[in-house]
Amino acid sequence: MGSLNRARTPTPVAGVRARFAVLLAATLAVAACGQAPQEDSQTSTAPSPEVRHDTAPLAERFPELGEPKSASWIMWDNSRVAEGSRVNVVWIDAVAQVSAETMDRLVAQYPTEARGQQPAVQKVLEPELPPGPFRSGVELNMAFGGQGKSTRVFLDEAHDAVVLQSYAMGAPQ
């Protein structure tokens, strides 16, 4: 009898996950390079993004949030930095308080792990971060992502909090 090939053949789902993980890592690296560091000096030409607390636009962009109880979030783009650019990039960092039912659904529907990671939101939102520990997972990130959008999601189950770091790319507006 010939020898058996005991090498594990990747399933289509595992292949998709692996490709997504590589794509996510690359896009997050590109996004991190594109984010200008915040300056504390008053000579900065770009004002700090306005912290918003309206939940409807955030829920519209991220339907998985359900109807958030509250939110603190910022949105900024590259329009000042990249005038004439062929690609418009919009970033969103958010901390949303969701219902216990929404948190239960997210935890049950998407596999997550606690890896000791902390969300890296913009400095203006850091005071809004819950203490953690945070859970995250590829399927959860994919559920909040979409066409031209990449999102990293962190769950703090104890505080029913969802933290989002997202960016979307598209044609200039």
Side-chain angles (χ1 to χ4, degrees), residues 101-112 140 155 157:
E101 294 80 19
T102 297
M103 182 59 69
D104 291 344
R105 178 183 53 80
L106 292 172
V107 169
Q109 193 168 351
Y110 304 107
T112 58
L140 181 65
L155 305 178
E157 291 179 78

Side-chain angles (χ1 to χ4, degrees), residues 11 18 34 36-37 41 53 81 85 103 109 113 115 129 135 155 166:
T11 65
S41 77
H53 300 285
V81 178
S85 173
M103 182 59 69
Q109 193 168 351
E113 295 180 46
R115 295 186 176 169
L129 285 175
R135 302 183 66 80
L155 305 178
S166 183

Side-chain angles (χ1 to χ4, degrees), residues 24-146:
L24 179 62
T27 54
L28 287 175
V30 169
C33 292
Q35 293 179 5
Q38 291 187 351
E39 296 180 21
D40 291 332
S41 77
Q42 294 178 341
T43 61
S44 174
T45 58
S48 293
E50 173 191 350
V51 177
R52 298 174 61 170
H53 300 285
D54 49 341
T55 59
L58 191 62
E60 185 177 317
R61 287 180 184 262
F62 302 101
E64 289 294 321
L65 288 174
E67 294 182 23
K69 294 179 176 183
S70 65
S72 295
W73 60 289
I74 58 174
M75 181 169 61
W76 70 103
D77 64 28
N78 67 335
S79 62
R80 284 188 151 196
V81 178
E83 288 183 23
S85 173
R86 294 181 184 180
V87 177
N88 183 47
V89 182
V90 176
W91 290 271
I92 295 176
D93 282 358
V95 179
Q97 183 77 32
V98 297
S99 68
E101 294 80 19
T102 297
M103 182 59 69
D104 291 344
R105 178 183 53 80
L106 292 172
V107 169
Q109 193 168 351
Y110 304 107
T112 58
E113 295 180 46
R115 295 186 176 169
Q117 297 175 328
Q118 288 287 114
V121 296
Q122 293 290 316
K123 192 172 200 76
V124 69
L125 278 184
E126 286 178 357
E128 305 298 327
L129 285 175
F134 295 98
R135 302 183 66 80
S136 191
V138 172
E139 289 88 354
L140 181 65
N141 294 341
M142 290 172 63
F144 278 80

